Amino acid sequence: QICLSLVKLLFYLAHSPLGSIVLLDFQPRQFVMVDGNLKVTDMDDASTEELSCKEDNDCTLDFPTKSFPLKCSAAGKCEGINEKKNLFNAYRYFFTYLLPHSAPPALRPFLTDILNATGDLRYGINETLKAFEKVLHLYKSGLYLQKRPLLLKDYISLKGFRTVEGEDYKCWPSYSHLGCLLSVHSAEEAAAICNSQSQCQSFIVTQRRTWTGRPLASFQSSLTDLIPDANSVVYIKRSASSRERL
C-alpha cells in the first residue's frame, strides 16, 4: 500500500502541470500516510528545474552507490532526470525495505522484477505504475493462486460460530501482535496457509477487511471457546485431536 501510493504520487509529480517535479530532500520523514494515501509534508525542497547540459557526459545521475548516464536533449536538458531521481530514491528508501516482505510467495517474483528494474532505472515511472497495478490486480482477484489440491475438505466447518480472540502463536506478516492474522483471498487459501503452519489447528475468516478488500483470517493453535455468530464459520483440521475436542 505504501509503495503503490508513493508510485502514484511520483507519477503525478512527473506529469504535473508545472512540469516534472523533483524532491530534493527525499527522505522517509518527508512523507505521511493520510487515509491510506502517502502525502508529502514539505514541498520547500521541490523543484521543476532540470539539469542543463551540452552533451551526454554532462548528464550523469550520481547516488552514493550507483551512477546512471542520461541523455542530453536537443533543448539542452538532461532527459527525465527529475523523474529518475525520484524513482531511484523511492527504490532505495522504500522499495528495498518493503517490497520483499509484502506479498504471497506466488507474487514475490513480480515484486522482485519491479525492485530490480527500478534499482537499475530500466523502468520509468509510467512502467513502474503499470507493473504495480498488475500486481494489485492479481492480488485482489486471486488470479495469483496456483492450481493446487483442494484443502478445505480436510477441515470440519462449524457454521454460526466464531472463536474467542486471544494471544496465540505468531506468524509473519501478521496484522496482529497477539497472534497470526493474515490477509487471504478465500477460505481455501486460508486452509493452505493453515496446512503450511505446524502450529495451526483451526482458523476463522473474519469480517474485517484490508485496504484491498480482502478478508483477514485468524489462525489458531488450539480450539478456544466458541461464541455464537450467525455470520461466521470456524474451520477445524480433521485430526484426531480435533475430533476428540468435538
Side-chain angles (χ1 to χ4, degrees), residues 82-220:
N82 287 352
E83 172 187 329
K84 292 180 184 297
K85 188 171 185 178
N86 283 341
L87 189 55
F88 189 79
N89 277 328
Y91 158 81
R92 65 179 182 142
Y93 287 119
F94 287 89
F95 298 172
T96 54
Y97 298 104
L98 300 178
L99 287 187
H101 314 291
S102 56
L107 286 178
R108 287 175 192 165
F110 294 96
L111 296 182
T112 298
D113 288 344
I114 294 174
L115 197 62
N116 292 337
T118 52
D120 295 334
L121 286 184
R122 287 185 284 110
Y123 279 1
I125 192 62
N126 294 0
E127 295 86 355
T128 303
L129 178 58
K130 185 177 180 180
F132 266 102
E133 288 178 337
K134 176 183 177 180
V135 175
L136 180 63
H137 171 68
L138 294 173
Y139 184 61
K140 292 174 70 173
S141 65
L143 291 173
Y144 68 91
L145 293 170
Q146 300 169 343
K147 290 184 178 180
R148 64 182 79 181
L150 298 179
L151 300 174
L152 203 55
K153 60 180 173 50
D154 298 329
Y155 289 77
I156 299 168
S157 62
L158 295 179
K159 297 181 180 180
F161 291 94
R162 63 180 173 85
T163 54
V164 177
E165 288 191 24
E167 190 167 354
D168 208 314
Y169 76 93
K170 311 296 192 297
C171 67
W172 174 262
S174 177
Y175 283 80
S176 169
H177 67 280
L178 295 176
C180 186
L181 187 67
L182 301 174
S183 164
V184 297
H185 177 259
S186 62
E188 186 63 49
E189 184 182 14
I193 293 173
C194 189
N195 272 23
S196 71
Q197 298 174 345
S198 59
Q199 307 100 312
C200 184
Q201 293 298 318
S202 65
F203 68 86
I204 178 172
V205 180
T206 73
Q207 300 298 308
R208 285 176 285 175
R209 296 189 176 265
T210 68
W211 65 281
T212 61
R214 287 162 52 99
L216 292 173
S218 177
F219 300 88
Q220 297 178 330

Side-chain angles (χ1 to χ4, degrees), residues 25-32 93-94:
D25 186 19
F26 198 115
Q27 299 284 340
R29 65 172 180 269
Q30 300 283 54
F31 300 89
V32 64
Y93 287 119
F94 287 89

